[in-house]
Amino acid sequence: MRKVAILGIGQTKIGEHWEKSLREIGGDAAFAAMQDAGLEKVDALFVGNMLSPLVNGQNQLGTFFADWVGLWKQEAVKIEAACGSGAAAFRAALMAVASGDIESALVVGVEKMTDKAGRDVTAALATAADADYEVDQGISFVGINALVMRRYMHEFGWKHEDFAPFSINAHANAMHNPNARLHEKISVEKFERSSMVATPINLLDASPTGDGAAAMVIVPAERILRKPRILVSASAAATDTIAVHSRKDPLFLQAAYQSSKRAYEMAGVTPGDINVFELHDAFSIMAALSLEASGFAERGRGVRLALDNEISIQGRVPVCTRGGLKARGHPVGATGMYQLVEVVQQLRGECGPTQVDGAKIGMAQNIGGSGATILTHILRSES
């Protein structure tokens, strides 16, 4: 397998884009990535998306976007892995280029979630859970995470307010990201006063959805002349049971552990070598569980990292440096690509006030469902 590098990146601002269609949002990110790469054509297009059939009434997104961006006659396919669809599309493109089957690929993660009423989008999101044993019993996706968070607090003795630093950190970083949905700093007091969604998860524990797209162009590493060169050092994926209650330990993200372990081995690094970590903080509890399963904290101690300010830009494990899902926003099928684009921005030194000093190695972890599908990628900057 040959080395692969990222040639171009692009993204759109996350929000409620009533004036734009699904094809326009995805197209904007795709064109931006192609322009950044300095290319007019690629060999293949990979689209990450979860909800287009249910929310937008549109399937066959590979051809849909190939037609829109002018990649006629090229290979094009949609990849779906719930909220992990973006990273899954990137991994598929990566394997195609690394194998030598193609010389260039455009990857687009895209989601338009405002075309349906909130209840319909909630029902669509629930398709990431077990239809027979979770959804049909009346539990929502946020309800599943609330049960996990309640058990975590019981097992390890944390209070709800202890999770506040995850959200505070994300909102503080999003203030400097023009593409983030939420530009508002929050405090512990505001976090605690926030409206309850599904106890103990309140509004400021949860990430906002929205419309958005992020894209990348990848090519064999030897084709890139400009510096720094951003290499893909590792790509790994793993699964767990789709239903949380079927797991031996519902408080441990086994798929995060497996995928991060493989990624570390592939890249030849340890958690201590990671300069920036874009984790999947769909809910604050998932941030804590990801840190633990990925080797940055002991079991039940992920919250301590946040309380000790170790997840800040100046901390030991800078996370969600552009706002994370919590404040940048979570257009589900696009999220994995936003994470990867943001890691590239860090490794290029393009993050302004939220730039991690000397960042050379970055990791992105994208989660589908309640930890059922988890993909971990490690990128490296090479001068």
Side-chain angles (χ1 to χ4, degrees), residues 131-191:
D132 294 327
Y133 298 112
E134 290 179 322
V135 182
D136 276 1
Q137 309 312 311
I139 192 168
S140 66
F141 197 58
V142 65
I144 294 170
N145 282 271
L147 290 172
V148 171
M149 187 174 184
R150 174 64 73 191
R151 187 66 192 180
Y152 183 94
M153 292 165 61
H154 171 77
E155 290 284 347
F156 301 113
W158 298 108
K159 302 185 296 294
H160 180 255
E161 67 186 47
D162 295 329
F163 290 83
F166 287 116
S167 297
I168 292 171
N169 174 69
H171 277 256
N173 291 339
M175 294 292 293
H176 306 286
N177 180 2
N179 292 306
R181 176 155 194 188
L182 302 179
H183 293 116
E184 178 186 4
K185 286 188 176 182
I186 62 172
S187 62
V188 174
E189 292 73 26
K190 187 166 186 177
F191 177 85

Side-chain angles (χ1 to χ4, degrees), residues 318-332:
V319 306
C320 302
T321 62
R322 306 296 282 159
L325 284 66
K326 175 63 199 76
R328 176 236 297 128
H330 183 28
V332 289

Side-chain angles (χ1 to χ4, degrees), residues 50-86:
M50 176 186 176
L51 301 175
S52 67
L54 296 173
V55 176
N56 315 114
Q58 180 67 58
N59 220 327
Q60 196 161 269
L61 291 194
T63 303
F64 182 75
F65 281 108
D67 182 26
W68 183 247
V69 302
L71 294 177
W72 301 290
K73 301 182 181 179
Q74 305 305 98
E75 175 183 358
V77 65
K78 169 189 169 180
I79 307 292
E80 186 276 314
C83 304
S85 297

